[in-house]
Amino acid sequence: MILSVCASYGQATLKGLVKNESNEIIPFASVYLEGTQFGTSSNNAGRFTIENVPLSTYNIIASAVGYNKSSLSIEVNGDIDTIVFQLSTNTELEEVELFGTRTKRAEKLETLTRLPLPPNEQLQSISILSHALIDKQNALTLRDVTKNVAGVYTFATYGNTRESMSLRGYRGIPILKNGVRINSDFRGIGVITDMAGVDNIQVLKGVSAISQGLGGDLGSAGGVINIATKTPKFYEGGEVSFRAGSYGMVRPAFDFYGPLDNNETIAFRVAGAYDRADSYRSHVNSERLYVNPSLAWKPNDKTRIILEMDYTDDSVTPDQGTVNLGDYATNQIYRLPNHNFLGFDSDRSNSVNTTYAIRFEREISSSLSLKAGLFSSHLETYEESAYVFQGGGRTNLDVLPGGQRYREYYAGGRADKNSVLQIDLLGKDIQTGFLKHTFQVGVDYRNTEFDNTAYTTTYPATDSYVDIIDVTQPIDNILSDGVSVMLNPDRATGSNTKSYGFTVQDKITLTEWADVFLGLRYSSLERTKGNFIGRSLSGAKRDDALNPLLGFNIKPIKNIIVFGSYASSSNPMTSFYSDINGNELGTERWDQYETGIKSTWLDNALRFNVTYFLTSSKNLNLEALDGNGTSLGYYLKGGEDTRNGVEVELIGRVLPNLEVIAGYSYLDARYKDHVSYYYNSSPLNTPRHTANFWTRYSFENTFEGLSLGAGVYYLGARPHNVWSRNYTHAGVEPGIKPFDLKAYTTVNIQMSYQFNSRLGLDVFVNNAFNELGYNAYRTVYLNRISPVTFGSTLRYKF
């Protein structure tokens, strides 16, 4: 193409626009005149200016990550302001963004959904949180990132040693890494992950057993979070960054990638970080080493093999937090001074997690493909720390008055080994008569094994505690001489579970405006070892389950999808539980109904979704305990509970340089016909209302390169424990309604300056107004949210 403008000046100014095939602007694209030193980057609005260009003929080139280069031949006889580049997407380079109309499926999303459709076309409610968003918000933790999703909130941090997330009123939803779970605890007690190696985080809401067979967790009916790590790229690039902040935070990180041969058939990627910090709480600190290497091989245009590893070594001081000075029904959480710490200087929690993956992808034809993956995770944890308690209940110790508490010392270790072999045949837009099919047929094999190592603590002066402290007074943090920890193999627990699954899903396109979804999963589970929390097992036990999926998408107009679905999830393991007469109680099941609207606006730059859901449980089983909370060795019919609510999400760009994320969730979670809990009482840690809002504005012209961002996050009041008639466990007092944890709102503020396309600086304040709030697991852990913190991140891309 030739552009020519006549003028009589010896120098000229070139102006233009860089956009993609969907007419979306491309910020920070490189634009330069080939063979010269003249060049620049497009601004936040995709516009560029090159000044003082001598009159001549040039090739002007535009390039951007995720797109093919484009070249124009121009004859410069004077100023030109009509240059337009329209870059085509490079499918190898395309990055998944939270904003805009990217329709490419997120990296590894099919590991979770197993159906080859982008998120907006899936029947389930799915949110994709990209690494671009993680960087923009300077997020470091899973809870930092997932609070951008309506209805997701922190269930507990267990002394800031793990991150356990809740969704739709279910505690501890399963957390996966590249499709395999890390910690196999059925309570979903969570893990620690590092954002340096994360490509995107996928939140699949609601029943997931149709594709994953994950019905064994307490929280599995609420949804699943999958952490997808970064994978190799077949072009050279990378990034180094350095972050520093409050309480001695220091964090260097890196990410390098590129091809290893001239033919670009083999590529690598390695990302990692070192992280150390103190805490607002005296005597508390953390240190982490993380590395994420991967290798990709393309033997031909239709085949890809990817090898991945992910390694985290995390060490942190457990912090029980504070105590409640009131009774079970009264919220008198004591604001423990920052210089006071309930534990000892020697307290430590260590976890080492290594995950591996081998993925194989083969394009059979333009419509058929085969995908296979072997994923594994090995997690080892060990903790020695203090625990304070008031006495009474199951302790056989007198209840202490005021702020006095017994302080004991305990140790615990655990090893988790999880693996998944998954093979899927995928079909895309296959015609049969007037019907069009996008389908998945797959099998999977899962192996879960864990061992809890038990220890016994001996004390020099008492049988069951180190000392008595007063939390309102200065606390001695030196562990007494003579306290010792020894292995106790008689109390060790563990389990080994194998499951097989067969899944078929089909999206049937009836017309351009109507789709029907059909799905069915068969699961067979075998448990072959051990016992866990009183759940004894002798010999092998096997059971199976059949779970359907039915749904529809209707498109009354091009940008609106009305959807509805029914799905069920089962936990075959619960069929092993027996009542007092030895009769098996049957398999627990969850039924979910969901409907809503997915829509796009402003030329596909803005997404607005509304979802209504109703989930009810059937055939719940509850362990029988005596008055002291000791297992009686059998189970009771627990009854049923329901969760229903509404989720509203707005995501995208209101203006080309104004990004926004907004969400609101209303949740009504109730126990119904239940053997132990009061009718219509709520599960612990279930807020009725949560809300999130984040926006970022990028300046143009005079302040080009500058952007300002702010986020507001609200977590409503929620019961700290269950309201029980007769059930005693972890602080539960039968007959007394538990107090609510107070609602809180936090505000984060950020300022960024992009010096050029490579170098940028972020300065941010988290919890800017120093809001006081608590995340709690019953009253065992009462952890304050982090107070106001300051930080900055310097990034260089190449």
Side-chain angles (χ1 to χ4, degrees):
M1 178 178 179
I2 304 285
L3 297 177
S4 177
V5 175
C6 295
S8 58
Y9 300 101
Q11 291 182 329
T13 298
L14 309 181
K15 295 182 179 181
L17 176 69
V18 185
K19 59 183 181 178
N20 64 18
E21 309 102 313
S22 302
N23 290 320
E24 298 172 302
I25 57 94
I26 303 177
F28 303 119
S30 269
V31 183
Y32 60 95
L33 303 180
E34 188 176 22
T36 76
Q37 299 297 315
F38 294 97
T40 187
S41 296
S42 61
N43 62 18
N44 287 295
R47 299 195 173 275
F48 66 88
T49 300
I50 306 176
E51 297 178 331
N52 302 320
V53 178
L55 304 184
S56 184
T57 300
Y58 301 95
N59 282 329
I60 183 170
I61 297 173
S63 64
V65 173
Y67 298 91
N68 294 308
K69 288 182 180 180
S70 179
S71 175
L72 300 173
S73 178
I74 60 173
E75 183 178 339
V76 180
N77 291 324
D79 294 345
I80 304 176
D81 59 6
T82 57
I83 302 173
V84 177
F85 285 101
Q86 192 164 35
L87 305 188
S88 61
T89 300
N90 185 325
T91 57
E92 290 297 336
L93 310 185
E94 184 174 17
E95 295 187 4
V96 178
E97 301 287 351
L98 180 67
F99 306 106
T101 59
R102 303 280 186 154
T103 56
K104 181 178 171 66
R105 297 186 295 276
E107 181 71 34
K108 305 175 187 176
L109 179 61
E110 287 164 19
T111 303
L112 190 64
T113 66
R114 302 177 71 176
L115 198 60
L117 295 171
N120 206 45
E121 294 183 26
Q122 299 279 353
L123 193 59
Q124 303 100 324
S125 296
I126 299 175
S127 297
I128 306 296
L129 304 163
S130 72
H131 68 88
L133 176 68
I134 294 170
D135 287 347
K136 287 176 181 179
Q137 295 188 345
N138 284 275
L140 283 183
T141 66
L142 190 61
R143 56 187 183 273
D144 286 343
V145 183
T146 55
K147 65 187 177 185
N148 293 287
V149 180
V152 179
Y153 59 94
T154 301
F155 174 76
T157 64
Y158 299 96
N160 293 325
T161 62
R162 296 183 292 274
E163 292 186 282
S164 178
M165 311 305 298
S166 282
L167 181 57
R168 294 187 172 180
Y170 290 94
R171 61 169 287 186
I173 62 177
I175 296 175
L176 315 180
K177 182 169 284 187
N178 296 331
V180 62
R181 61 181 311 147
I182 302 168
N183 190 308
S184 54
D185 194 304
F186 80 104
R187 297 163 298 182
I189 62 174
V191 294
I192 290 291
T193 191
D194 195 288
M195 294 298 114
V198 174
D199 179 84
N200 67 86
I201 292 175
Q202 304 154 7
V203 181
L204 188 154
K205 297 180 178 180
V207 169
S208 62
I210 185 63
S211 60
Q212 286 288 317
L214 291 169
D217 280 39
L218 291 180
S220 58
V224 174
I225 294 176
N226 186 40
I227 302 164
T229 59
K230 295 176 178 177
T231 54
K233 295 180 180 293
F234 286 86
Y235 60 95
E236 291 185 351
E239 176 184 310
V240 291
S241 66
F242 183 81
R243 175 170 175 160
S246 301
Y247 309 114
M249 153 67 76
V250 175
R251 179 182 168 86
F254 64 89
D255 181 13
F256 306 119
Y257 48 82
L260 291 176
D261 64 332
N262 293 331
N263 295 326
E264 297 184 351
T265 61
I266 302 176
F268 81 99
R269 189 165 193 170
V270 57
Y274 170 78
D275 192 312
R276 67 117 7 243
D278 296 320
S279 168
Y280 68 90
R281 177 80 57 210
S282 295
H283 307 276
V284 175
N285 58 75
S286 63
E287 187 173 29
R288 182 188 312 138
L289 176 66
Y290 172 80
V291 63
N292 170 235
S294 56
L295 190 71
W297 176 39
K298 295 191 299 184
N300 53 56
D301 291 339
K302 296 185 176 182
T303 308
R304 177 179 293 197
I305 299 171
I306 301 174
L307 308 177
E308 300 172 273
M309 190 188 91
D310 190 89
Y311 176 84
T312 307
D313 187 340
D314 184 76
S315 177
V316 63
T317 307
D319 178 12
Q320 188 182 346
T322 185
V323 299
N324 184 47
L325 298 179
D327 58 25
Y328 186 73
T330 308
N331 184 340
Q332 292 184 6
I333 297 176
Y334 176 56
R335 185 169 180 173
L336 190 71
N338 292 350
H339 63 266
N340 260 5
F341 173 52
L342 299 181
F344 301 109
D345 288 334
S346 57
D347 291 357
R348 208 67 181 168
S349 174
N350 294 281
S351 64
V352 177
N353 178 222
T354 308
T355 63
Y356 305 92
I358 302 175
R359 293 188 290 134
F360 172 84
E361 302 172 4
R362 172 69 180 181
E363 182 182 329
I364 301 173
S365 68
S366 59
S367 301
L368 288 174
S369 62
L370 180 68
K371 293 195 174 185
L374 175 62
F375 311 90
S376 70
S377 173
H378 186 192
L379 173 68
E380 289 189 359
T381 62
Y382 179 75
E383 180 175 327
E384 286 191 18
S385 63
Y387 173 66
V388 303
F389 58 98
Q390 193 171 12
R394 293 180 285 173
T395 67
N396 296 319
L397 294 171
D398 294 334
V399 176
L400 295 173
Q404 293 185 40
R405 295 292 187 273
Y406 297 100
R407 185 163 55 169
E408 67 175 6
Y409 193 72
Y410 74 95
R414 182 181 172 102
D416 282 85
K417 297 179 181 179
N418 293 278
S419 62
V420 177
L421 173 62
Q422 193 167 288
I423 303 173
D424 292 308
L425 176 66
L426 307 175
K428 178 71 173 175
D429 294 335
I430 294 180
Q431 202 80 28
T432 58
F434 69 94
L435 301 178
K436 188 185 295 183
H437 302 264
T438 295
F439 67 85
Q440 171 262 337
V441 179
V443 295
D444 54 79
Y445 166 74
R446 302 173 187 273
N447 193 323
T448 297
E449 181 178 358
F450 73 83
D451 291 286
N452 278 326
T453 306
Y455 297 85
T456 298
T457 305
T458 58
Y459 305 96
T462 67
D463 292 330
S464 57
Y465 60 91
V466 178
D467 55 11
I468 295 175
I469 61 173
D470 189 330
V471 299
T472 64
Q473 303 298 319
I475 299 172
D476 181 12
N477 302 114
I478 304 299
L479 182 63
S480 304
D481 292 336
V483 176
S484 62
V485 173
M486 296 178 295
L487 280 169
N488 186 351
D490 294 336
R491 294 181 56 236
T493 60
S495 180
N496 191 349
T497 303
K498 299 177 181 180
S499 65
Y500 305 83
F502 175 80
T503 305
V504 57
Q505 300 178 82
D506 191 6
K507 172 196 168 188
I508 305 172
T509 299
L510 305 177
T511 68
E512 290 185 359
W513 53 269
D515 302 318
V516 173
F517 288 78
L518 301 175
L520 188 66
R521 177 179 174 86
Y522 168 77
S523 301
S524 177
L525 182 144
E526 179 182 83
R527 190 174 170 201
T528 57
K529 141 185 175 181
N531 68 85
F532 182 43
I533 314 181
R535 303 184 178 195
S536 327
L537 179 68
S538 11
K541 293 283 187 178
R542 173 179 289 279
D543 207 343
D544 53 21
L546 201 61
N547 296 114
L549 168 68
L550 304 170
F552 63 85
N553 279 344
I554 297 176
K555 306 166 189 174
I557 58 179
K558 183 179 179 180
N559 64 315
I560 292 180
I561 299 176
V562 179
F563 68 95
S565 68
Y566 162 77
S568 75
S569 174
S570 302
N571 181 10
M573 189 183 300
T574 58
S575 68
F576 307 156
Y577 305 154
S578 302
D579 63 15
I580 192 172
N581 299 313
N583 300 313
E584 291 188 349
L585 294 174
T587 298
E588 294 176 348
R589 192 185 82 212
W590 295 266
D591 295 305
Q592 174 187 279
Y593 300 88
E594 188 171 81
T595 187
I597 297 174
K598 301 177 183 179
S599 61
T600 59
W601 304 90
L602 301 180
D603 206 12
N604 289 327
L606 194 67
R607 296 200 294 270
F608 178 71
N609 303 330
V610 180
T611 303
Y612 170 78
F613 63 90
L614 169 63
T615 305
S616 61
S617 60
K618 304 292 183 184
N619 214 28
L620 287 181
N621 302 321
L622 190 68
E623 188 176 8
L625 305 173
D626 65 15
N628 293 320
T630 303
S631 174
L632 296 175
Y634 60 90
Y635 285 78
L636 304 169
K637 280 288 187 186
E640 65 175 303
D641 58 1
T642 62
R643 271 84 161 167
N644 68 87
V646 176
E647 295 159 348
V648 182
E649 293 183 303
L650 179 70
I651 302 173
R653 287 188 173 95
V654 180
L655 299 171
N657 58 338
L658 179 62
E659 302 168 335
V660 63
I661 303 174
Y664 168 75
S665 172
Y666 169 78
L667 171 67
D668 186 13
R670 308 273 188 173
Y671 289 114
K672 296 299 183 180
D673 180 19
H674 204 282
V675 70
S676 291
Y677 304 139
Y678 280 92
Y679 182 78
N680 267 349
S681 65
S682 296
L684 74 163
N685 272 345
T686 51
R688 286 219 166 191
H689 307 278
T690 63
N692 59 280
F693 177 81
W694 178 80
T695 186
R696 178 183 171 107
Y697 181 81
S698 300
F699 289 85
E700 300 176 340
N701 301 325
T702 305
F703 299 103
E704 185 177 330
L706 177 67
S707 62
L708 299 178
V712 182
Y713 308 97
Y714 172 81
L715 180 62
R718 57 231 180 268
H720 87 279
N721 217 328
V722 291
W723 188 10
S724 170
R725 294 191 299 269
N726 51 24
Y727 181 69
T728 301
H729 175 69
V732 177
E733 295 190 21
I736 301 178
K737 185 177 181 180
F739 68 79
D740 281 348
L741 295 164
K742 295 179 181 179
Y744 63 82
T745 302
T746 60
V747 176
N748 296 345
I749 300 173
Q750 179 180 336
M751 180 178 70
S752 302
Y753 187 77
Q754 197 72 31
F755 297 96
N756 51 49
S757 60
R758 298 180 182 272
L759 184 64
L761 176 68
D762 297 339
V763 179
F764 50 89
V765 184
N766 292 333
N767 194 5
F769 299 105
N770 205 28
E771 177 81 343
L772 179 66
Y774 291 94
N775 294 317
Y777 174 62
R778 307 183 189 271
T779 49
V780 178
Y781 295 98
L782 288 171
N783 292 119
R784 177 185 173 184
I785 62 173
S786 294
V788 57
T789 57
F790 302 86
S792 62
T793 304
L794 183 68
R795 289 190 179 89
Y796 180 78
K797 298 182 179 180
F798 51 88

